[in-house]
Amino acid sequence: MALVFAARWVLKHKLAKVWRTAEFVVARTAYSGYAAGAVVGANLALPSPADVGWSTYGNIRHAMVILMIASLTALGISLAYAVTDLILARLSLSNGDADRKARRLQTQVRLLRRVITSVIVVLAVSSILFTFPQVQALGAGLLASAGIIGIVAGVAAQSTLGNLFAGLQLAFSDALRLGDVVVVEGEWGRIEELSLVNVTIKIWDERRLVVPVANFTTTSFENWTKQGTAITAKVMMPLDWEVPIAELREEAGRLITSSDHWDGRSWSCQVVDITENGEVMVRIVATAADTGAQWNISCEIREHLIGWLVAHYPQSLPRNRTEVISEDELGAAHLGRFAVVSSRERGSRNGVTRTDRETDRESEEG
């Protein structure tokens, strides 16, 4: 134990100044280092068979072998994590939204070390089990029927293996990275963790959406940062026919070009549709550097133009028109319609063919 303490002190206070990995080794081996040191010291202090007897000595030695395998496995995993922590720390320095290569490497390193750790743990558990004579005898029979056991194990672990390979496929095909902005099942958020089984998405309102890894290889999802972080903000405004389009476009342009959230690429203000309710649909778009700026400039455009229209052109706000018709006007309208129908019937009897437009024009002139 004294040697372990001395080694940690040297790593922390001496080597850490010239070897950055040393600080990660000290942090990761806080428990596994002392455990391995204690087990090694206990092995060196084992009593002789003459002192305790062969039976007791065999049990103690068997227990120490198991502890040795477990402690050295934990120490090895801790050292491997310390090395990868150094790599991840260097990647995180440039791990902004725009640095897609750094985020891809970070995702791959995290996933690979989980895979390697799982393999090491399985091998360590297998080694511990095979220290028992009963398991050794069983192992010989299992090896003879390895093909059947492999098929049964493959069927039983189909879901787990599917998630494992799906995670590796996502990481190394660059389809998904830590920090990517995605839309999954109607929820917008960032990839917070990519494990061998699940993908954890941090939703914008601090919730966490946990999705099986295999879902990302079998269903479609939106990745807003797949090729970069640049994105376009869109604001749709249903307005009245009396909206002054030229003035609205000028005001929108003045706002967007002076906004800190606009990236300077492009913007537009256009009438794109007329709804069934008789409203003019105006679309204002502006480019932004990332999703945060896109959200902010969208809200900024919406809030400013609503206030500007209320203050200067309140008649432009969406409204429903209702026309009030008096009884006299309603009766005249019915009489006019009856006259049109009678005119059509007379023309049909006299063998004259007229279009509806000609008949309507005659009715209006009459």
Side-chain angles (χ1 to χ4, degrees), residues 234-299:
K234 179 181 70 173
V235 175
M236 304 294 291
M237 301 186 68
L239 300 173
D240 192 78
W241 286 72
E242 295 187 14
V243 58
I245 301 299
E247 288 81 355
L248 178 64
R249 183 178 294 112
E250 182 180 355
E251 182 66 17
R254 187 193 64 78
L255 169 67
I256 294 170
T257 53
S258 62
S259 174
D260 295 334
H261 305 297
W262 184 53
D263 64 358
R265 287 187 294 138
S266 64
W267 69 272
S268 68
C269 176
Q270 299 171 312
V271 177
V272 295
D273 197 6
I274 298 175
T275 67
E276 295 180 356
N277 297 329
E279 297 171 334
V280 176
M281 188 64 65
V282 178
R283 184 184 68 181
I284 302 99
V285 297
T287 56
D290 52 45
T291 55
Q294 179 245 9
W295 174 261
N296 289 328
I297 197 171
S298 296
C299 296

Side-chain angles (χ1 to χ4, degrees), residues 15 23 40 45 67 70 74 95 106-107 130 202 205 220 254 272 291 309 328 331 334 350:
L15 292 180
E23 60 180 285
V40 171
L67 291 176
N95 194 26
Q106 190 180 39
T107 304
F130 271 90
K202 183 179 179 180
D205 58 359
S220 301
R254 187 193 64 78
V272 295
T291 55
L309 288 172
D328 295 337
H334 284 301
N350 295 333

Side-chain angles (χ1 to χ4, degrees), residues 148-366:
I148 299 176
I149 297 297
I151 294 174
V152 174
V155 173
Q158 183 178 3
S159 177
T160 302
L161 292 175
N163 282 327
L164 172 62
F165 289 116
L168 293 174
Q169 178 183 345
L170 287 176
F172 287 93
S173 65
D174 200 24
L176 202 64
R177 299 173 296 264
L178 293 175
D180 272 349
V181 178
V182 297
V183 178
V184 180
E185 298 181 5
E187 297 285 359
W188 179 95
R190 288 182 179 270
I191 301 297
E192 185 178 53
E193 183 181 1
L194 177 58
S195 67
L196 300 179
V197 180
N198 298 315
V199 176
T200 302
I201 303 171
K202 183 179 179 180
I203 308 302
W204 64 272
D205 58 359
E206 304 296 330
R207 291 178 294 139
R208 300 299 191 275
L209 179 65
V210 181
V211 183
V213 175
N215 283 23
F216 287 89
T217 59
T218 57
T219 58
S220 301
F221 64 95
E222 295 183 29
N223 188 340
W224 290 9
T225 52
K226 178 68 171 65
Q227 297 297 332
T229 60
I231 194 169
T232 300
K234 179 181 70 173
V235 175
M236 304 294 291
M237 301 186 68
L239 300 173
D240 192 78
W241 286 72
E242 295 187 14
V243 58
I245 301 299
E247 288 81 355
L248 178 64
R249 183 178 294 112
E250 182 180 355
E251 182 66 17
R254 187 193 64 78
L255 169 67
I256 294 170
T257 53
S258 62
S259 174
D260 295 334
H261 305 297
W262 184 53
D263 64 358
R265 287 187 294 138
S266 64
W267 69 272
S268 68
C269 176
Q270 299 171 312
V271 177
V272 295
D273 197 6
I274 298 175
T275 67
E276 295 180 356
N277 297 329
E279 297 171 334
V280 176
M281 188 64 65
V282 178
R283 184 184 68 181
I284 302 99
V285 297
T287 56
D290 52 45
T291 55
Q294 179 245 9
W295 174 261
N296 289 328
I297 197 171
S298 296
C299 296
E300 189 177 2
I301 292 171
R302 194 177 295 110
E303 293 171 1
H304 179 82
L305 292 183
I306 288 175
W308 181 78
L309 288 172
V310 169
H312 297 87
Y313 300 97
Q315 71 277 10
S316 301
L317 301 178
R319 54 182 171 170
N320 294 323
R321 289 182 170 86
T322 302
E323 184 178 1
V324 180
I325 301 176
S326 64
E327 294 183 359
D328 295 337
E329 292 174 337
L330 184 61
H334 284 301
L335 288 176
R337 186 177 303 173
F338 176 75
V340 170
V341 173
S342 300
S343 176
R344 288 175 181 171
E345 291 178 353
R346 288 195 301 272
S348 175
R349 287 195 297 269
N350 295 333
V352 179
T353 303
R354 304 185 185 187
T355 63
D356 291 342
R357 184 175 298 175
E358 292 173 346
T359 306
D360 292 341
R361 186 183 300 112
E362 291 177 359
S363 175
E364 291 175 358
E365 292 174 354

